[in-house]
Amino acid sequence: MRLGMSLVTNPKDNSFVACSPLWSHECGSSYYTTGMCSRVNSNFRFSRIVAPALQRCPTFMDIVIVLDGSNSIYPWVEVQGFLISILQKFYIAPGQIQVGVLQYGEDVVHEFHLNDFRSVTEVVEAAKSIEQRGGTETRTALGIEKACTEAFQHGGRKGAKKVMIVITDGESHDNQDLERVIECSEKDNITRYAVAVLGYYNRRGINPEAFLNEIKFIASDPDEKHFFNVTDEAALKDIVDALGERIFSLEGVEGILGWMAVGPLHLRLAIDIVNV
């Protein structure tokens, strides 16, 4: 950290300010060198700590997974395995990513909310206990609506990027409502990834064209970045890496400050703090 590289004393009260221009903080898989300064009183106790260039992590995301659990999904263990694998890709921690999961068929059930868990380990353990709810209908529009109006509201954080992942294996029984709920999600600035599971269609030799068009409509534009399709439930594992990479590409480079520019800033800040 190079503590004390910038150092300013205050003879009035024998306090001083020491800065660490190479102090770094973790954001996802990256470490950003933002530096920090500490004011120390005459008894060598910290009285104030300031990180002048510290900004919110680019991995500050609220992710809601909308999971089709209707009867046609089979076998469920493959879907659950995909869910666990993608959760293990996320940097779940305070100030970074938090995840909620809802399952739908005819009805919608919130398996857990965004603020229920604070680590990958906790979320994965919760996902292992999710059982298939079943249902003779696939009400995808209802699932998306509940994600927008309930899941993102329960534990959602101001300023967090909103991401929705929809996984389903069939055309919705409430597709007349899709346009309305997609418009609502657009107004809420929710980025939507949609995954079409073709197992039901392939097992019965059904043309999936209408289904694929519906899932492309659900996905945010452009389709090549937000739409996925897999041959069956077992093939979900093959898109885990690609889906994770596309979500993390939303991070951008905002909040990064090069360490070479931090030193002079800390010196100016140290003088300001010591005179407070």
Side-chain angles (χ1 to χ4, degrees):
M1 296 195 308
R2 301 295 191 272
L3 180 62
M5 183 176 284
S6 298
L7 188 66
V8 178
T9 61
N10 186 349
K12 294 180 181 179
D13 60 4
N14 294 320
S15 66
F16 64 91
V17 174
C19 291
S20 308
L22 299 185
W23 178 83
S24 301
H25 70 112
E26 183 181 9
C27 280
S29 60
S30 303
Y31 285 85
Y32 297 149
T33 302
T34 56
M36 55 90 75
C37 293
S38 301
R39 183 172 183 173
V40 184
N41 64 23
S42 58
N43 294 320
F44 288 91
R45 292 184 178 179
F46 292 106
S47 59
R48 185 180 179 188
I49 298 176
V50 178
L54 180 64
Q55 297 188 36
R56 183 171 284 159
C57 281
T59 49
F60 188 59
M61 296 183 187
D62 289 342
I63 300 176
V64 173
I65 299 175
V66 181
L67 199 60
D68 181 356
S70 60
N71 293 345
S72 56
I73 291 283
Y74 179 83
W76 178 252
V77 66
E78 300 288 1
V79 178
Q80 190 174 42
F82 163 78
L83 176 62
I84 291 170
S85 295
I86 196 65
L87 290 173
Q88 290 172 332
K89 288 282 184 183
F90 296 152
Y91 304 102
I92 299 170
Q96 298 200 47
I97 291 175
Q98 51 180 32
V99 181
V101 174
L102 64 82
Q103 185 182 161
Y104 74 96
E106 296 172 26
D107 302 308
V108 174
V109 175
H110 294 276
E111 300 293 351
F112 53 83
H113 294 99
L114 287 168
N115 59 352
D116 282 350
F117 304 109
R118 298 168 65 86
S119 71
V120 174
T121 301
E122 292 175 335
V123 169
V124 168
E125 285 303 309
K128 289 178 180 178
S129 64
I130 295 177
E131 297 181 354
Q132 185 174 10
R133 303 282 180 172
T136 57
E137 292 187 355
T138 302
R139 301 183 66 189
T140 305
L142 178 63
I144 293 172
E145 181 175 35
K146 292 296 184 180
C148 294
T149 61
E150 297 179 8
F152 280 109
Q153 305 304 317
H154 194 128
R157 299 166 296 180
K158 183 178 180 180
K161 294 185 181 74
K162 296 180 181 179
V163 177
M164 183 189 302
I165 304 172
V166 180
I167 302 103
T168 181
D169 79 331
E171 292 178 67
S172 59
H173 288 81
D174 55 356
N175 55 18
Q176 71 279 359
D177 296 324
L178 277 176
E179 185 173 352
R180 175 179 58 82
V181 299
I182 294 302
E183 286 179 358
C184 290
S185 71
E186 290 283 352
K187 290 178 182 178
D188 290 341
N189 295 315
I190 299 172
T191 300
R192 301 176 308 280
Y193 293 87
V195 182
V197 183
L198 300 176
Y200 178 83
Y201 290 82
N202 290 336
R203 287 190 289 267
R204 289 162 176 76
I206 302 172
N207 187 338
E209 182 178 0
F211 172 48
L212 292 173
N213 288 335
E214 179 177 298
I215 303 307
K216 289 178 180 178
F217 178 73
I218 292 172
S220 294
D221 293 328
D223 290 341
E224 58 266 22
K225 290 186 177 180
H226 301 94
F227 165 76
F228 294 84
N229 71 90
V230 295
T231 55
D232 56 22
E233 288 79 357
L236 281 167
K237 64 180 181 298
D238 298 331
I239 66 167
V240 169
D241 289 341
L243 178 58
E245 289 171 3
R246 292 187 193 179
I247 292 173
F248 298 142
S249 71
L250 294 173
E251 295 178 17
V253 294
E254 60 194 55
I256 300 175
L257 180 64
W259 70 269
M260 293 181 65
V262 176
L265 175 63
H266 283 129
L267 183 57
R268 293 194 302 273
L269 183 75
I271 294 173
D272 291 340
I273 293 175
V274 82
N275 289 325
V276 172

